[in-house]
Amino acid sequence: MDLSNIQISFAYGEGDEAERREVLRNVQTILTTPLGTCPLYRDFGIDTSVLDAPIDVAQNLLAVEIMDAVERWEPRVRVTDVTCTADENGKLRTKVVLSDG
């Protein structure tokens, strides 16, 4: 399972550059951590089992997983858009757009 293809776009209002980088790093960590793999925080990350569903269903389930995980683990931002597209091999490419919370 490769979650490294998630692209994150961020429109953050007030705040300094260090905070913006911290938030982006946190969101990237959340989105690239499969659920159940973080010791002592087994509910941290996203449930990658949704990717076993048919592509159209997986796209919607993954978007919900992303929104829920970011809302729970990084309350300083909110997800405004999640776009999932499948390439010819069935690999999902995901773009996540964030705004300040």
Side-chain angles (χ1 to χ4, degrees):
M1 162 58 66
D2 180 18
L3 296 173
S4 62
N5 288 325
I6 296 175
Q7 177 185 358
I8 301 171
S9 171
F10 189 34
Y12 199 74
E14 301 294 320
D16 62 6
E17 187 63 24
E19 182 180 20
R20 183 178 184 274
R21 284 192 312 268
E22 177 186 357
V23 169
L24 285 175
R25 187 174 48 250
N26 291 347
V27 170
Q28 184 175 19
T29 299
I30 294 165
L31 299 183
T32 57
T33 303
L35 193 68
T37 62
C38 186
L40 304 177
Y41 289 99
R42 296 292 181 189
D43 55 345
F44 180 84
I46 58 172
D47 183 4
T48 57
S49 71
V50 301
L51 300 175
D52 292 334
I55 292 291
D56 56 337
V57 175
Q59 290 171 326
N60 292 328
L61 292 174
L62 183 60
V64 171
E65 280 292 320
I66 289 170
M67 287 185 253
D68 288 346
V70 171
E71 179 181 328
R72 178 172 184 192
W73 295 105
E74 185 50 83
R76 294 178 286 184
V77 294
R78 65 183 176 87
V79 176
T80 58
D81 188 41
V82 178
T83 306
C84 299
T85 55
D87 66 12
E88 62 278 355
N89 297 320
K91 188 173 186 177
L92 282 180
R93 302 217 181 266
T94 305
K95 179 179 179 183
V96 179
V97 179
L98 306 171
S99 69
D100 54 343

